[in-house]
């Protein structure tokens, strides 16, 4: 964990925590709308990325990198328009791709469990592989519910981190409000 994450002023930590709590509650209460909003935001990011890559392709000196950047930029712009104008389909598609990735990852984890001489117990690797495969199958079979599940998990994580930041902010305030007792009191 980055030390500077918790060293800002206590007021900023409480504000960051409050924003996290509000976002978490909103994401949990309205997961579909949260997922759609995140897809639209991601779409705008992909649009900016695509435009940036296209500009770099025009200004680039090397021919090979120019073509690669142009193709990636064009692909990013196309994906961005899908994400902005059809966020529901984009969320389902990304969830489906994520599910396929989890299945492939789980298969590789299972192979690693049998081919690795790691110190970790083999059964832990197999449990991880099984969880990856099961979650991947769930996402592939139910991409809509999978996207909602991701939004809810994101909300839970934001809510937990929000609480951590609020508590840390108030603890930081209390710590700096009262001077600490001397480490070695003088003998009487």
């Amino acid at each position: 964990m980055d030390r500077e994450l918790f060293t800002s002023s206590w007021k900023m930590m409480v504000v960051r925590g409050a924003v996290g709590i509000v976002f978490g509650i909103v994401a949990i209460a309205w997961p579909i709308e949260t997922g759609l909003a995140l897809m639209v935001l991601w779409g705008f990011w992909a649009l900016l990325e695509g435009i940036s890559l296209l500009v770099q392709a025009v200004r680039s000196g090397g021919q090979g990198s120019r073509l690669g950047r142009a193709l990636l930029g064009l692909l990013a712009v196309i994906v961005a328009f899908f994400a902005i104008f059809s966020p529901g389909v984009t969320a389902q598609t990304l969830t489906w791709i994520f599910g396929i990735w989890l299945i492939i990852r789980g298969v590789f984890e299972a192979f690693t469990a049998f081919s690795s001489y790691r110190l970790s117990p083999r059964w832990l690797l197999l449990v991880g592989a099984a969880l990856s495969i099961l979650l991947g199958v769930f996402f592939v079979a139910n991409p809509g519910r999978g996207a909602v599940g991701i939004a809810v998990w994101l909300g839970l994580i934001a809510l937990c981190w929000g609480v951590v930041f609020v508590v840390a902010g108030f603890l930081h305030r209390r710590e700096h409000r009262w001077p600490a007792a001397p480490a070695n009191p003088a003998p009487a």
Side-chain angles (χ1 to χ4, degrees), residues 6-171:
F6 293 108
T7 57
S8 60
S9 77
W10 73 271
K11 290 177 186 176
M12 275 310 296
M13 283 197 288
V14 170
V15 168
R16 288 169 65 186
V19 169
I21 290 170
V22 169
F23 176 78
I25 291 170
V26 167
I28 293 167
W30 297 290
I32 294 172
E33 292 80 1
T34 301
L36 295 176
L38 289 173
M39 282 298 108
V40 170
L41 288 173
W42 181 78
F44 281 112
W45 173 79
L47 181 63
L48 291 174
E49 178 76 11
I51 291 170
S52 172
L53 284 167
L54 289 172
V55 168
Q56 288 176 10
V58 171
R59 294 184 179 174
S60 180
Q63 189 66 18
S65 64
R66 182 178 265 186
L67 179 63
R69 285 189 179 128
L71 289 175
L72 283 176
L74 184 61
L75 182 63
V77 168
I78 291 169
V79 168
F81 280 111
F82 277 111
I84 293 168
F85 296 112
S86 186
V89 173
T90 305
Q92 287 185 346
T93 303
L94 287 176
T95 305
W96 189 72
I97 291 169
F98 185 58
I100 291 171
W101 173 76
L102 280 171
I103 292 169
I104 293 169
R105 178 179 178 216
V107 169
F108 278 109
E109 287 173 345
F111 281 124
T112 301
F114 288 109
S115 64
S116 177
Y117 295 105
R118 292 182 174 202
L119 296 175
S120 326
R122 186 169 293 181
W123 68 271
L124 275 176
L125 293 173
L126 289 173
V127 167
L131 288 174
S132 291
I133 291 171
L134 287 174
L135 193 59
V137 168
F138 172 74
F139 282 166
V140 168
N142 305 297
R145 287 196 295 183
V148 169
I150 291 171
V152 169
W153 275 108
L154 189 66
L156 286 171
I157 291 167
L159 183 64
C160 291
W161 271 106
V163 169
V164 166
F165 272 104
V166 167
V167 170
F170 284 122
L171 289 174

